[in-house]
Amino acid sequence: MISETERKRIIALIKKEVVPAIGCTEPIAVALCVAKATETLVCRPEKISVLLSANILKNAMGVGIPGTGMIGLPIAIALGALIGKSEYQLEVLKDCTPYDVEEGKKIIEEKIIEIGLKNDISEKLYIEVECKSGENTAKAIISGGHTNFVYISKNNDVILNEDINKTDESDSDELELNLKKVFDFATTAPIDEISFILESKRLNKAAAERSLKGNYGHELGKTLMYCKNEQAVMGNNTFTHILSYTSAACDARMAGAMIPVMSNSGSGNQGIAATMPVVVYAEDNNKSEEELIRALTLSHLTVIYMKQSLGRLSALCGCVVAATGSSCGITYLMGGSYKNVVYAVQNMIANLTGMICDGAKPSCALKLTSGVSTAVLSAIMAMEQKCVTSIEGIIEDSVDMSIRNLTKIGSIGMNETDKLVLDIMTHKSCEY
């Protein structure tokens, strides 16, 4: 039985981790850090120096920046200095206009922006920005979480100085979760206390629908929805609707559309993958609003739980974790018990572990589609009482131990993979 005190803490955790975001969260977090440093400087910088961890650099290289029609960090940094407002958090650039984009291009042309790799840190989510104007210097550092400032200074005055190893995940670390507690909370919490999760449906479905009307990224969502060849092979059914809506929202986000999505644990794509499969399945099967609320809560909280041990950024693609959450939600909507949800998670881990993250980019829509298609398959198997057993691979009898095995592989075992991926990305020759 979950106590009222613990229930309130879990609700606070969900509200903290499931928040709106515009654009890929890594370059947007860099823009946020630049905005804070500029606000501290109290004038337009004459020079901007940015040092980033490898994972931030990897995820910011190939993704569209909302409202700009441009890709990558320079325009995000320029706009963070020009119009960014740190109070907006992950919507820091939401006031951007075409005029601002042109001004941002001028800043890039002036070559006042320097971007480098921060080598002497172990933290995978690290952003350090120094802005200078005349004799004045302001510095801001984000570490451990996309909006978690640990250091702010102006000249010799230190405004904020926290332990760099203290992250905005510390509260969630103290709140000990396991899959059974996640399931019990989602299925028993007073419905009025968790109905706020429906905002994830509103935002992410709106993003998908807008994407289906436009031309974003690789247009995977539109292809799945409207292509005759696709329908001849896969048909027009709930499965293809799930794939289409999920990939469509990702198409728009990765292409840099000025469309907010509901993120999870600092990632918009994780928020999309945790939301849209559950929403589409519920709507196609006439599930009640309460059933949808509980399924979405189960999905999002499962993702939060798994990310506690995986970390914000890793070599493991976030869609593996997010799709695992949606598989739990779909299993619940199918009438599954806790046992069936456990089966779904075990099946997901046995299948998708090892999918690499090679940065944020338009083709992330393909990975989300792979993840959520596996989510549906795993849920169907679970409802048929089919589950990968502990004599197979990394699966253990305890589902929570299986989750730890997955997150160990992603956070520790794949570190060398992460380094190699970044090396390939930064040294390849591109032909356009």
Side-chain angles (χ1 to χ4, degrees), residues 123-170:
E123 172 57 51
K124 293 184 177 181
L125 199 166
Y126 182 91
I127 303 164
E128 179 181 319
V129 175
E130 186 175 79
C131 293
K132 293 183 178 180
S133 179
E135 299 295 317
N136 296 311
T137 300
K139 188 173 183 178
I141 297 175
I142 286 175
S143 180
H146 291 81
T147 61
N148 190 52
F149 285 96
V150 296
Y151 184 88
I152 302 171
S153 68
K154 182 176 181 181
N155 298 328
N156 296 320
D157 297 326
V158 177
I159 302 166
L160 174 70
N161 188 12
E162 294 187 352
D163 181 0
I164 196 171
N165 295 312
K166 177 183 178 294
T167 76
D168 69 352
E169 296 173 20
S170 58

Side-chain angles (χ1 to χ4, degrees), residues 7-21 25 89-90 143-149 162 166-175 193 196-197 262-267 270 300-301 304 308 312:
R7 191 175 76 241
K8 288 181 178 178
R9 291 184 68 199
I10 293 174
I11 290 170
L13 175 61
I14 297 172
K15 288 183 176 179
K16 179 181 178 182
E17 298 291 3
V18 182
V19 297
T25 44
Q89 299 283 286
L90 293 179
S143 180
H146 291 81
T147 61
N148 190 52
F149 285 96
E162 294 187 352
K166 177 183 178 294
T167 76
D168 69 352
E169 296 173 20
S170 58
D171 290 341
S172 62
D173 287 339
E174 294 172 7
L175 181 56
E193 293 184 9
F196 66 87
I197 203 70
M262 190 66 80
S263 67
N264 184 305
S265 303
S267 166
Q270 286 172 186
H300 279 282
L301 188 55
I304 293 168
Q308 284 181 345
R312 297 272 173 176

Side-chain angles (χ1 to χ4, degrees), residues 35-95:
K36 177 64 79 173
T38 302
E39 290 166 357
T40 305
L41 190 65
V42 199
C43 65
R44 180 167 166 172
E46 296 172 356
K47 183 177 181 181
I48 305 171
S49 300
V50 179
L51 291 175
L52 306 172
S53 60
N55 287 78
I56 290 288
L57 189 61
K58 178 181 72 174
N59 279 354
M61 288 172 60
V63 69
I65 306 303
T68 69
M70 300 174 68
I71 288 173
L73 281 167
I75 190 63
I77 292 169
L79 290 174
L82 280 173
I83 54 95
K85 291 183 175 63
S86 64
E87 65 193 80
Y88 291 166
Q89 299 283 286
L90 293 179
E91 296 180 289
V92 61
L93 300 182
K94 70 178 181 180
D95 290 341

Side-chain angles (χ1 to χ4, degrees), residues 344-401:
V345 173
Q346 300 278 48
N347 293 337
M348 289 293 293
I349 293 171
N351 193 337
L352 286 182
T353 298
M355 182 184 288
I356 66 167
C357 170
D358 54 343
K361 59 213 176 299
S363 60
C364 284
L366 292 164
K367 294 193 175 187
L368 258 67
T369 303
S370 296
V372 298
S373 63
T374 304
V376 176
L377 172 64
S378 295
I380 291 171
M381 286 183 63
M383 293 305 294
E384 293 296 319
Q385 313 305 317
K386 306 295 184 184
C387 176
V388 177
T389 66
S390 60
I391 64 170
E392 303 173 69
I394 64 170
I395 300 303
E396 301 205 25
D397 288 327
S398 163
V399 68
D400 295 294
M401 286 303 299

Side-chain angles (χ1 to χ4, degrees), residues 2 16 24 26 51 61 66 73 79 95 119 137 153 171 187-188 211 230 279 307 318 342 370 391 411:
I2 299 175
K16 179 181 178 182
C24 177
E26 278 69 57
L51 291 175
M61 288 172 60
L73 281 167
L79 290 174
D95 290 341
N119 289 308
T137 300
S153 68
D171 290 341
T187 55
T188 64
S211 179
E230 180 276 331
V279 168
K307 292 291 287 187
V342 168
S370 296
I391 64 170
S411 62

Side-chain angles (χ1 to χ4, degrees), residues 79-352:
L79 290 174
L82 280 173
I83 54 95
K85 291 183 175 63
S86 64
E87 65 193 80
Y88 291 166
Q89 299 283 286
L90 293 179
E91 296 180 289
V92 61
L93 300 182
K94 70 178 181 180
D95 290 341
C96 179
T97 67
Y99 172 80
D100 298 323
V101 175
E102 293 306 312
E103 291 298 300
K105 291 177 181 178
K106 293 178 183 177
I107 287 181
I108 295 171
E109 291 171 359
E110 291 169 4
K111 301 188 183 303
I112 67 168
I113 298 172
E114 293 182 355
I115 303 170
L117 184 64
K118 185 78 172 181
N119 289 308
D120 54 346
I121 55 165
S122 58
E123 172 57 51
K124 293 184 177 181
L125 199 166
Y126 182 91
I127 303 164
E128 179 181 319
V129 175
E130 186 175 79
C131 293
K132 293 183 178 180
S133 179
E135 299 295 317
N136 296 311
T137 300
K139 188 173 183 178
I141 297 175
I142 286 175
S143 180
H146 291 81
T147 61
N148 190 52
F149 285 96
V150 296
Y151 184 88
I152 302 171
S153 68
K154 182 176 181 181
N155 298 328
N156 296 320
D157 297 326
V158 177
I159 302 166
L160 174 70
N161 188 12
E162 294 187 352
D163 181 0
I164 196 171
N165 295 312
K166 177 183 178 294
T167 76
D168 69 352
E169 296 173 20
S170 58
D171 290 341
S172 62
D173 287 339
E174 294 172 7
L175 181 56
E176 293 185 5
L177 294 175
N178 54 54
L179 191 63
K180 182 64 164 63
K181 187 178 291 185
V182 167
F183 181 85
D184 288 347
F185 171 84
T187 55
T188 64
I191 201 68
D192 62 313
E193 293 184 9
I194 57 175
S195 59
F196 66 87
I197 203 70
L198 285 175
E199 183 67 4
S200 67
K201 168 193 171 180
R202 187 187 71 81
L203 282 182
N204 293 343
K205 186 178 180 183
E209 289 175 340
R210 182 168 164 185
S211 179
L212 290 170
K213 295 175 182 177
N215 300 288
Y216 297 101
H218 296 295
E219 299 184 18
L220 180 57
K222 289 183 70 174
T223 300
L224 290 168
M225 180 66 75
Y226 303 121
C227 177
K228 292 181 180 179
N229 289 334
E230 180 276 331
Q231 296 210 357
V233 174
M234 298 177 67
N236 181 12
N237 51 49
T238 298
F239 181 62
T240 55
H241 296 166
I242 286 172
L243 301 188
S244 176
Y245 271 79
T246 303
S247 56
C250 183
D251 281 331
R253 179 174 177 267
M254 292 291 94
M258 188 65 83
I259 303 173
V261 300
M262 190 66 80
S263 67
N264 184 305
S265 303
S267 166
N269 282 348
Q270 286 172 186
I272 290 167
T275 302
M276 290 315 303
V278 178
V279 168
V280 174
Y281 184 89
E283 291 183 343
D284 276 14
N285 289 276
N286 301 311
K287 297 298 179 178
S288 68
E289 184 176 87
E290 177 172 344
E291 288 175 306
L292 175 58
I293 290 170
R294 296 197 183 282
L296 284 172
T297 301
L298 175 59
S299 177
H300 279 282
L301 188 55
T302 298
V303 177
I304 293 168
Y305 162 49
M306 295 179 72
K307 292 291 287 187
Q308 284 181 345
S309 55
L310 179 63
R312 297 272 173 176
L313 300 176
S314 73
L316 183 71
C317 178
C319 81
V320 174
V321 174
T324 301
S326 64
S327 189
C328 293
I330 291 170
T331 302
Y332 170 79
L333 290 173
M334 288 177 170
S337 65
Y338 173 66
K339 178 182 177 181
N340 298 119
V341 167
V342 168
Y343 284 179
V345 173
Q346 300 278 48
N347 293 337
M348 289 293 293
I349 293 171
N351 193 337
L352 286 182

